[in-house]
Amino acid sequence: MRLADLPRGARARVRAVSTEADAALHLREMGLRPGVIVRVVGIAAAGARIVAIGAARIALDRATAQEIEADPA
C-alpha cells in the first residue's frame, strides 16, 4: 500500500522509501524511514498527506507520498 492511499487517521509502518537519493536522505533526516510508525493527520490539496511521526508533522506532496510503501499498523 502507498502512503498516498491512506485515509486521514490511518496508522502505518513505513516499509520502503523509493524516492531519489537526495529526497530519501532528507526524509530520513526528518524521521521518515523504514520501520517507523506514521499517522495521517491531514489530507491537503491535490492529495498531499500530512503525517505525524511522534510529535513531528511532515507534509508530503502526492508524488512523494506515492513513493512510500507502508503497511497498516
Side-chain angles (χ1 to χ4, degrees), residues 13-71:
R13 181 178 305 273
V14 175
R15 183 174 0 131
V17 178
S18 303
T19 62
E20 60 184 59
D22 289 342
L25 174 61
H26 186 64
L27 292 171
R28 283 194 308 273
E29 289 172 342
M30 292 190 296
L32 189 66
R33 60 179 56 99
V36 74
I37 300 285
V38 299
R39 182 171 50 92
V40 178
V41 295
I43 300 174
R49 294 298 191 265
I50 302 165
V51 297
I53 303 170
R57 303 291 184 266
I58 300 173
L60 303 167
D61 65 16
R62 182 163 181 76
T64 302
Q66 283 284 35
E67 299 296 323
I68 299 170
E69 295 177 41
D71 297 318

